[in-house]
């Protein structure tokens, strides 16, 4: 005679097969939460015979969630040693961040189904599973054996619960306990919720320590004056009335980004352009707690004075005109864009070029740092182009392999500009000599510019060489400029090159990790290979139709390209594409999801 659990598993398995074979909802014997998840999984076209999930090997292994979970996982790992159980922590999006397994056989099975750090087990990729359902429904759940949507997961059972931030209530991740099917599976829910409570307690203690440190720093500064003061932490914003009256939530974000960079610039103060066009002078101090960096304390000084006497109408009108002018676009020759962040860095570069102020430009590769320097330099009326010396390849200046010698060999004087690329690549032992070479060039009236990926990478001897620093925004942060950028770049390709209306929405969906340089390469190749007078969707590379978050093998890239090409040829009709490729429509859906293909398709 079958045990109750065995009979139940068989009934659930039979109900699942019936649900997959017809359009009826799952049978009432299936628990409500599992029924709902099955229906979501079937609607998404989740595969039932293989596990295909995104992989992201590079992630923050020192995040607050991971730090809070580590001592709890360490304790559970000792308790579970030799047992057929495994504990897993994921972030709020389902990415597995840590895993501890009690036995090798279970570990090998979890590796085969990709339930390992770096993989994503959200419901949208795997279908019904403990992690996915817990994050989707924001509550604890248990998924037993045959209740899994994917057959390869049905020999294990799992219990999962969301991990919440006790201060904000936001879901930060999930804890999952997985074991082979058996009698012990009924105890999993209690065990996993106990582990979640421990992680939430550690997170609260850490957050509480940060908040106490921020509050103490805030009270010390605000006790002696009424100047605008802002304290910014990960989950806490403190502001006195003078700051609250003049700052918005977007201003808080801008100031937080500026504060994270300020400690690496030579000045202890920094001007920041706010969302409304106002400029504020910010003095920043990092606030530390026993649990690490808590946040930043900002003392602010606005450049205008709203408290001036009302009778000073002339001064008010003058300031108003200045503020309006500062918010207007600042076009530079050969460049395009009106995004506030781009506008700010364009103005800063133009002013520094005009005043010969040494400038440090930082931003991701391909954002246009060199183009910005050339345009700002040209705006001064200079006849010569900037001389560029790359710290990673000093021989480009034909001065041997010594970087300081390459800089000294560059032409100097009024009307000249000298750019040191990859400042962060300057070796520590070369720092003093390079600094002297830059100072000597600046003394001759040369405009000195340094560029690098991140401002914190400036070597100590070189920080004093750059009086001002400015960030060049990534393309994904200024997508409003995309139409103007596309038009500008296509004009470089050739007169009369146009693009179809549906091209721009597709370009907007891309992250552009290579920024403007990547956009220029894509448009140039599409224009060269276009079949009509304008660029169509089919002229864009297949990779642009994919939003996958992991690196693909050569075989996977070829499969993705073939799938994209087939879909484009049939105007996005998945059924026709499946017939042409000799695969099922379900496989089309699964492959599109696995590769993140985002074609503007029709059903």
């Amino acid at each position: 005679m079958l045990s109750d659990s065995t009979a139940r598993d068989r009934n659930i398995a039979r109900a699942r097969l019936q649900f997959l074979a017809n359009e009826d909802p799952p049978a009432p014997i299936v628990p409500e939460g599992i029924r709902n998840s099955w229906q979501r999984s079937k609607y998404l076209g989740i595969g039932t015979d293989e596990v295909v999930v995104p992989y992201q090997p590079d992630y923050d292994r020192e995040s607050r969630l991971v730090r809070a979970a580590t001592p709890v996982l360490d304790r559970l790992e000792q308790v579970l040693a030799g047992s057929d159980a495994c504990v897993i922590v994921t972030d709020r999006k389902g990415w597995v961040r840590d895993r501890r397994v009690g036995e090798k056989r279970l570990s090998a099975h979890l590796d085969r189904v990709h339930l390992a750090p770096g993989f994503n087990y959200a419901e949208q990729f795997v279908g019904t599973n403990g992690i996915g359902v817990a994050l989707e429904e924001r509550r604890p759940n248990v998924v037993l054996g045959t209740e899994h949507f994917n057959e390869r997961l049905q020999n294990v059972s799992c219990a999962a619960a969301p991990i919440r931030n006790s201060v904000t209530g936001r879901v930060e991740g999930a804890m999952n306990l997985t074991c082979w099917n058996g009698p012990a599976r009924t105890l999993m829910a209690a065990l996993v919720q106990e582990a979640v409570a421990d992680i939430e307690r550690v997170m609260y203690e850490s957050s509480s320590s940060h908040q106490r440190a921020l509050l103490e720093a805030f009270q010390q500064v605000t006790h002696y004056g009424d100047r605008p003061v802002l304290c910014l932490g990960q989950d806490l914003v403190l502001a006195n009335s003078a700051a609250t009256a003049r700052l918005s939530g977007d201003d808080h974000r801008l100031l937080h980004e500026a504060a994270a960079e300020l400690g690496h610039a030579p000045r202890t103060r920094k001007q920041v352009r706010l969302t409304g066009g106002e400029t504020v002078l910010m003095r920043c101090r990092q606030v530390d707690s026993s649990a690490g960096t808590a946040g930043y304390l900002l003392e602010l000084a606005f450049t205008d004075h709203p408290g001036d006497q009302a009778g000073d109408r002339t001064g008010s009108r003058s300031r108003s005109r200045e503020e309006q002018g500062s918010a207007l676009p600042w076009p530079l020759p050969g460049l395009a864009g009106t995004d506030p962040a781009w506008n700010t860095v364009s103005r800063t570069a133009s002013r520094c070029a005009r005043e010969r102020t040494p400038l440090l430009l930082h931003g991701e590769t391909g954002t246009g740092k060199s183009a910005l320097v050339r345009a700002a330099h040209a705006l001064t009326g200079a006849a010569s182009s900037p001389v560029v010396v790359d710290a990673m390849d000093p021989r480009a200046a034909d001065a041997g392999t010594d970087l300081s010698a390459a800089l000294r060999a560059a032409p100097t004087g009024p009307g000249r500009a000298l750019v040191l690329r990859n400042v962060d690549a300057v070796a520590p032992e070369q720092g003093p000599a390079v600094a002297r070479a830059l100072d000597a060039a600046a003394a001759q009236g040369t405009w000195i510019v340094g560029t690098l990926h991140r401002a914190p990478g400036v070597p100590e001897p070189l920080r004093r060489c750059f009086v001002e620093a400015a960030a060049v925004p990534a393309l994904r942060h200024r997508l409003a400029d995309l139409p103007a950028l596309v038009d500008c770049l296509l004009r470089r390709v050739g007169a009369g090159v146009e693009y179809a209306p549906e091209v721009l929405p597709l370009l907007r969906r891309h992250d552009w990790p290579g920024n403007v340089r990547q956009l220029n390469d894509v448009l140039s190749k599409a224009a060269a290979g276009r079949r009509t007078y304008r660029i169509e969707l089919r002229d864009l590379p297949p990779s642009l139709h994919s939003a996958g978050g992991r690196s693909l093998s050569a075989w996977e890239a070829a499969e993705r390209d073939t799938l994209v090409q087939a879909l484009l040829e049939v105007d996005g009709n998945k059924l026709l594409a499946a017939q042409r490729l000799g695969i099922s429509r379900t496989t089309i859906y699964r492959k599109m999801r696995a590769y993140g293909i985002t074609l503007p398709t029709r059903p």
Side-chain angles (χ1 to χ4, degrees):
M1 183 174 179
L2 296 175
S3 66
D4 291 342
S5 62
T6 302
R8 179 187 181 280
D9 288 346
R10 291 192 174 184
N11 289 333
I12 294 290
R14 188 178 300 110
R16 172 181 168 276
L17 292 176
Q18 292 173 350
F19 167 67
L20 293 175
N22 56 52
E23 299 298 327
D24 296 332
I29 190 176
V30 182
E32 180 182 4
I34 302 299
R35 290 203 308 268
N36 295 336
S37 180
W38 280 5
Q39 289 177 315
R40 292 192 297 266
S41 303
K42 186 176 182 180
Y43 174 78
L44 290 170
I46 304 295
T48 60
D49 55 351
E50 61 177 317
V51 178
V52 180
V53 293
Y55 180 54
Q56 194 178 68
D58 297 325
Y59 57 89
D60 184 7
R61 289 169 172 77
E62 295 297 327
S63 68
R64 184 176 57 172
L65 173 64
V66 173
R67 289 199 307 268
T70 295
V72 178
L73 294 176
D74 289 343
R75 174 174 55 82
L76 290 174
E77 186 175 28
Q78 295 180 352
V79 174
L80 297 175
S83 70
D84 62 346
C86 165
V87 285
I88 295 165
V89 168
T90 76
D91 66 12
R92 67 171 66 93
K93 293 184 178 180
W95 293 98
V96 179
R97 294 310 184 214
D98 202 346
R99 186 187 81 177
R100 310 294 176 88
V101 191
E103 63 161 14
K104 292 183 178 180
R105 189 168 67 96
L106 179 59
S107 178
H109 173 70
L110 297 180
D111 287 342
R112 286 193 294 270
V113 296
H114 307 308
L115 185 47
F119 290 94
N120 192 307
Y121 248 67
E123 188 183 72
Q124 62 178 310
F125 300 114
V126 188
T128 306
N129 74 95
I131 294 168
V133 176
L135 292 174
E136 183 70 27
E137 300 189 353
R138 299 293 195 266
R139 60 183 177 85
N141 74 92
V142 176
V143 179
L144 303 176
T146 53
E147 293 176 349
H148 286 92
F149 192 78
N150 192 295
E151 294 174 0
R152 297 193 63 189
L153 303 178
Q154 292 186 354
N155 53 354
V156 296
S157 295
C158 55
I163 302 170
R164 297 182 184 273
N165 185 311
S166 302
V167 177
T168 65
R170 185 178 69 170
V171 172
E172 298 288 350
M175 163 67 78
N176 178 77
L177 178 63
T178 297
C179 65
W180 298 114
N181 293 332
R185 66 188 190 180
T186 57
L187 303 175
M188 294 191 303
L191 291 174
V192 78
Q193 290 189 59
E194 180 181 352
V196 164
D198 289 342
I199 295 175
E200 291 177 343
R201 175 182 52 78
V202 175
M203 292 180 65
Y204 173 77
E205 291 173 352
S206 172
S207 177
S208 178
S209 173
H210 289 342
Q211 290 179 0
R212 287 195 299 271
L214 289 170
L215 181 59
E216 181 180 350
F218 180 75
Q219 290 175 333
Q220 288 176 352
V221 174
T222 56
H223 181 72
Y224 296 103
D226 58 356
R227 62 187 180 279
V229 176
L230 191 67
C231 235
L232 298 173
Q234 188 169 13
D235 298 313
L236 181 68
V237 176
L238 298 173
N240 61 359
S241 56
T244 301
R246 307 198 62 179
L247 299 174
S248 67
D250 288 338
D251 292 332
H252 296 165
R253 176 183 57 80
L254 290 174
L255 291 169
H256 193 280
E257 292 174 355
E261 300 171 354
L262 186 61
H264 308 286
R267 290 181 170 180
T268 58
R269 297 170 182 261
K270 181 177 183 178
Q271 282 191 336
V272 178
R273 179 80 61 182
L274 302 179
T275 54
E278 294 178 288
T279 298
V280 64
L281 185 63
M282 176 188 76
R283 185 168 67 183
C284 170
R285 175 167 68 86
Q286 181 173 295
V287 179
D288 296 319
S289 73
S290 58
T293 301
Y296 303 97
L297 176 70
L298 312 181
E299 298 178 64
L300 308 175
F302 289 87
T303 56
D304 64 331
H305 305 281
D308 286 350
Q309 294 182 358
D312 188 10
R313 297 179 181 177
T314 302
S316 298
R317 285 196 299 269
S318 176
R319 283 191 300 272
S320 177
R321 285 194 297 270
E322 291 176 0
E323 290 174 359
Q324 292 175 4
S326 65
L328 293 175
W330 187 260
L332 286 172
L335 303 182
T338 58
D339 176 83
W342 176 257
N343 192 37
T344 297
V345 71
S346 297
R347 286 179 175 275
T348 299
S350 300
R351 176 174 51 79
C352 289
R354 185 176 62 254
E355 299 174 357
R356 323 307 289 170
T357 302
L359 174 65
L360 180 69
L361 286 176
H362 55 92
E364 296 177 9
T365 300
T367 49
K369 298 185 290 293
S370 297
L372 190 63
V373 173
R374 289 193 299 269
H377 183 57
L379 199 63
T380 65
S384 61
S385 299
V387 175
V388 179
V389 177
D390 194 333
M392 298 184 67
D393 186 18
R395 288 171 294 181
D398 296 326
T401 58
D402 181 66
L403 181 58
S404 60
L407 293 169
R408 290 193 300 271
T412 59
R416 296 283 188 176
L418 176 59
V419 180
L420 176 58
R421 294 185 60 193
N422 296 308
V423 176
D424 51 332
V426 177
E429 62 272 13
Q430 289 186 316
V434 170
R436 288 193 297 270
L438 292 176
D439 288 342
Q444 298 296 319
T446 308
W447 182 34
I448 302 300
V449 181
T451 67
L452 76 165
H453 189 79
R454 296 181 181 274
V458 181
E460 184 62 38
L462 297 179
R463 292 182 186 177
R464 61 180 178 80
C465 296
F466 303 105
V467 177
E468 292 205 28
V472 181
L475 178 54
R476 63 182 175 277
H477 296 155
R478 50 181 292 229
L479 289 179
D481 285 342
L482 199 57
L485 280 169
V486 171
D487 290 339
C488 178
L489 295 173
L490 286 180
R491 283 195 297 271
R492 298 180 188 177
V493 172
V497 180
E498 301 178 11
Y499 56 90
E502 60 269 19
V503 165
L504 197 57
L506 180 64
L507 298 180
R508 289 185 186 278
R509 290 198 297 267
H510 197 55
D511 284 340
W512 299 109
N515 294 291
V516 179
R517 183 183 301 165
Q518 182 187 6
L519 175 63
N520 182 61
D521 291 343
V522 166
L523 293 175
S524 298
K525 293 177 181 178
R530 70 188 189 280
R531 308 177 194 182
T532 65
Y533 71 98
R534 66 181 186 178
I535 297 174
E536 307 279 355
L537 284 179
R538 61 188 178 186
D539 299 320
L540 298 173
S543 60
L544 206 62
H545 298 279
S546 172
R550 64 184 179 95
S551 298
L552 301 181
S553 66
W555 183 88
E556 289 174 320
E559 183 181 53
R560 177 204 61 197
D561 294 354
T562 301
L563 179 58
V564 168
Q565 191 61 39
L567 287 164
L568 286 172
E569 289 174 355
V570 296
D571 195 25
N573 189 305
K574 303 182 187 69
L575 180 59
L576 290 178
Q579 292 173 349
R580 289 194 176 193
L581 295 174
I583 58 179
S584 69
R585 189 179 181 185
T586 300
T587 302
I588 285 277
Y589 277 105
R590 178 165 49 80
K591 293 294 185 181
M592 288 181 67
R593 185 177 60 255
Y595 292 132
I597 295 173
T598 55
L599 284 171
T601 58
R602 64 184 184 185

